[in-house]
Amino acid sequence: MAMLVFGCVLTVMTAWFVTSSVREVLWLRGVRRTGRQLTGEVIDNEARRRSTYGGYLLYPVVRYQLDGKQHSATVRNWQGKVELGAGLPLLVDPSDPYSPAVADRDSLGRGLFISLGMFAVALLLTYWGWQSR
């Protein structure tokens, strides 16, 4: 019974990860289709606390110009420290200028692949727990 409960909880958690990954991959595809490519200057590294197991993740904050207006925003698809003053190739959707993406970074596809693998393992654990109850 404990294995069934563990499998169900793990399946729900990994289903959330899969849903989140699919949403981000679809967002990035849309930005690649309609976004403008430009270069942003890294002005800061924003530290966000990890909610589940402590520690922090760093996200670069960039400054860029779009349609003659200057914007500053946190890059959505990059984790890690980037040297201040460095230039990052960005994709920015003109309808949502405060959600830039790094143009040559495709870690979202890997995240989706990993989360699908975790989901398959969770389903197998749930099935095994169901059969052994």
Side-chain angles (χ1 to χ4, degrees), residues 1 3-5 8 124-133:
M1 186 66 174
M3 185 57 72
L4 178 61
V5 172
C8 288
L124 288 173
L125 282 174
T126 303
Y127 178 74
W128 182 44
W130 179 264
Q131 293 299 321
S132 64
R133 63 181 168 91

Side-chain angles (χ1 to χ4, degrees), residues 32 37 77-78 88-91 101-107:
R32 283 191 175 143
Q37 193 159 4
N77 66 330
W78 181 291
L88 285 179
L90 300 176
L91 286 171
V102 175
D104 59 357
R105 184 87 169 172
D106 196 17
S107 62

Side-chain angles (χ1 to χ4, degrees), residues 35-47:
R36 292 193 194 152
Q37 193 159 4
L38 44 98
T39 302
E41 177 190 3
V42 178
I43 59 172
D44 196 8
N45 287 292
E46 179 183 317

Side-chain angles (χ1 to χ4, degrees):
M1 186 66 174
M3 185 57 72
L4 178 61
V5 172
F6 176 71
C8 288
V9 169
L10 194 59
T11 300
V12 169
M13 285 175 48
T14 56
W16 180 81
F17 285 128
V18 168
T19 304
S20 159
S21 296
V22 166
R23 188 178 65 237
E24 287 295 311
V25 166
L26 291 175
W27 169 80
L28 185 57
R29 278 190 177 177
V31 170
R32 283 191 175 143
R33 207 171 334 117
T34 62
R36 292 193 194 152
Q37 193 159 4
L38 44 98
T39 302
E41 177 190 3
V42 178
I43 59 172
D44 196 8
N45 287 292
E46 179 183 317
R48 294 183 187 169
R49 186 159 179 76
R50 292 180 182 174
S51 59
T52 53
Y53 48 90
Y56 290 89
L57 290 174
L58 293 176
Y59 294 87
V61 178
V62 292
R63 179 175 39 224
Y64 51 93
Q65 279 200 322
L66 180 67
D67 296 332
K69 293 182 182 177
Q70 190 159 335
H71 300 280
S72 296
T74 303
V75 175
R76 213 168 139 168
N77 66 330
W78 181 291
Q79 292 175 354
K81 185 177 180 178
V82 180
E83 188 176 321
L84 297 182
L88 285 179
L90 300 176
L91 286 171
V92 181
D93 187 357
S95 65
D96 187 15
Y98 292 103
S99 286
V102 175
D104 59 357
R105 184 87 169 172
D106 196 17
S107 62
L108 295 177
R110 277 191 302 256
L112 176 59
F113 182 72
I114 291 168
S115 63
L116 285 171
M118 289 172 41
F119 184 66
V121 169
L123 284 175
L124 288 173
L125 282 174
T126 303
Y127 178 74
W128 182 44
W130 179 264
Q131 293 299 321
S132 64
R133 63 181 168 91

